[in-house]
Each structure stands twice: as structure tokens, then as C-alpha cells.
Amino acid sequence: MNQLADRQAQFQAHLTSGAEAVTAHIIGDDKADSETRLQVYFQAYRLRLIEVLQNDFEGLHTLLGDEGFSRMVQAYLAKHPSRHPSVRWFGQHLPVFLGSQPEYAEHPVLAEMARFEWAWGLAFDAADRSAPGVAAMTEIDPEAWASLQVEVQPSVQQLSLSHNVPAIFQAATNQATPPPVEIAASPVSWVLWRRDLIVCWRSLETDEAWALEAAADGTSFAQLCEGLCQWHAADAVPLRAAGMLRGWLEDALLAGISG
């Protein structure tokens, strides 16, 4: 490694972990000594990362408050230094971090909020695909229904939540007073996706959550119907499955249908 690259690596190590190797190579002046000059960059780097996560996790910031959020980011940075050239990916380990660190794990709503907001970001950033629309159902050959498969939009994200984090998130992003944290009697399945430039989300019944995940994995319409029999009588299943398909098309959750 040449000298310039070596100094750059040392400077980066100081910014990310406080390593001292570069200190001897920093020159002070009348305005600030070498340590003060380094601290400007050291602190600015952390303030920038706090700002990045605050923008990406507004709901989490609302739950923790300014001081608590700043303290959490400092702890997270020590555990998971930013490794990617883009700060967009700095928060990818945050849900696991919040669920595993004792100080935060005792409040599981924090990890759930981070999971929801990370899924929101993935939905927003996903690739664009056209949506076939409800009219596509009328074009399906009756003999092709059994082998019918669907392709979900790249933006579709599914997760299960025990707390009312979507409502808290919505209030936070609208600068409104968030509702109190509530725990559901049983976990609720949610789907997030982008429609045009808007990220949408809604809750799913247990059978639809299973069906949408199975459809995304390539399960045929006949196999979906077979699987839905665990929730519905056999004679009611085709109508339920067709109703789900129509709803997915209306919501623009699908990118394609093939027989």
C-alpha cells in the first residue's frame, strides 16, 4: 500500500472506530491542534449517520426521542460500522441490533418498528414494473386456471407485527401525535408495496398472507386452492382464491400473470 492510501485507510479507521494511528500525521495550527481538527471530522461523521438513520427511521426516532435515538445510533455504529459506499444501507442491521441488545430488546416494539421502516424503504427503492390490472382476469383461458401463476411486484414486502407500528409510523411521518403503543392479541400480517411513487400497506388475513407468499414462490392456482382448504371448505375455496387474485390486481401488487 502506498503512503497516500495508507494515510487514507488510517483516517477512515479513525472516523469509524477512533483508531489513533493517523493522529501522529495530523498537523495542528494556531486555530486548532491536531486532536481538535480530527474531532471535527470524527463528530461530523457521526452526526451525518444520525441524520441518515433519523430520515430512514422516523417512527423509531419518534419512539426513542432525540437523545435516545442519538445514543442508540452511537451504540449501533460501534457494533455495525458503515461498510457500504452508500449510506442507504447503513441501517440494514438495525432490526436485529434492536432485537438482540438488552437495553432495546426489552422493548420489542423498537425492533418491529425498524423492521417495518426497513421494509418500507425496500419497497420504495424497488424496481419499477407495470401492473396488469383487473382486466387481465377476463383474458385467462378457463382451461389455464389450474396452472395459473402470478409474479408479484419487486416492491412487495411481507412481515408479521405484534405492535401497532404502522399507525405510529403514519403519525410520525405526518408530524401528528402518535397513538400509544399497543400489543395485538396475536401477530398481524402486513404487506407493503409501492404504487406509482407511493408506498402502500395493509393488513392481511392469515389465509391471504399465506397465499400471497406462496404465490410469490411460484405456487400455481390449483396448489393455492389446495392449500386454502386448511382455512375454508373445499367448495368455497375457488371463489376465495379468485377474490384474492382480483384484490391483488386491484391493488397493483402483481407484475404479471401466466398460465
Side-chain angles (χ1 to χ4, degrees), residues 2-238:
N2 62 44
Q3 188 178 59
L4 175 60
D6 185 49
R7 295 290 180 270
Q8 289 173 329
Q10 291 174 345
F11 186 67
Q12 181 179 9
H14 179 78
L15 291 184
T16 57
S17 64
E20 297 293 337
V22 76
T23 305
H25 305 288
I26 303 300
I27 300 173
D29 58 21
D30 294 338
K31 295 181 180 179
D33 59 25
S34 58
E35 180 61 28
T36 301
R37 298 180 75 180
L38 274 175
Q39 276 295 309
V40 170
Y41 290 96
F42 185 82
Q43 297 301 334
Y45 174 70
R46 279 150 180 74
L47 289 172
R48 173 57 180 147
L49 291 179
I50 291 171
E51 180 184 15
V52 167
L53 290 192
Q54 189 170 317
N55 289 335
D56 289 347
F57 296 92
E58 292 183 71
L60 188 58
H61 177 245
T62 294
L63 289 171
L64 288 170
D66 291 339
E67 184 177 339
F69 190 83
S70 177
R71 186 171 62 252
M72 181 275 295
V73 176
Q74 300 285 1
Y76 175 67
L77 178 59
K79 195 83 172 178
H80 297 283
S82 182
R83 305 290 189 191
H84 198 279
S86 171
V87 292
R88 165 66 183 88
W89 302 103
F90 176 49
Q92 62 183 317
H93 303 295
L94 195 52
V96 173
F97 171 81
L98 292 170
S100 61
Q101 297 301 300
E103 178 182 357
Y104 304 109
E106 64 183 15
H107 304 290
V109 65
L110 300 175
E112 284 204 346
M113 178 63 78
R115 285 177 56 220
F116 180 84
E117 294 191 278
W118 189 253
W120 190 100
L122 292 177
F124 184 81
D125 289 343
D128 288 321
R129 292 288 303 276
S130 59
V134 177
M137 291 184 70
T138 64
E139 301 171 2
I140 301 171
D141 188 303
E143 296 183 358
W145 273 93
S147 60
L148 187 74
Q149 292 179 302
V150 304
E151 181 182 1
V152 303
Q153 290 285 349
S155 64
V156 169
Q157 308 287 324
Q158 279 188 257
L159 68 167
S160 178
L161 301 170
S162 296
H163 298 80
N164 59 330
V165 296
I168 298 172
F169 169 81
Q170 187 167 32
T173 55
N174 290 333
Q175 286 76 54
T177 302
V181 174
E182 296 178 356
I183 304 177
S186 58
V188 178
S189 295
W190 292 83
V191 60
L192 300 89
W193 75 104
R194 193 185 67 248
R195 188 169 189 171
D196 298 322
L197 296 177
I198 304 297
V199 176
C200 308
W201 62 86
R202 65 175 175 87
S203 60
L204 300 170
E205 296 293 334
T206 304
D207 62 337
E208 186 181 10
W210 172 85
L212 183 58
E213 185 173 359
D217 288 338
T219 301
S220 69
F221 189 80
Q223 292 169 323
L224 282 181
C225 289
E226 182 179 351
L228 288 170
C229 287
Q230 62 184 302
W231 291 283
H232 306 282
D235 59 352
V237 162

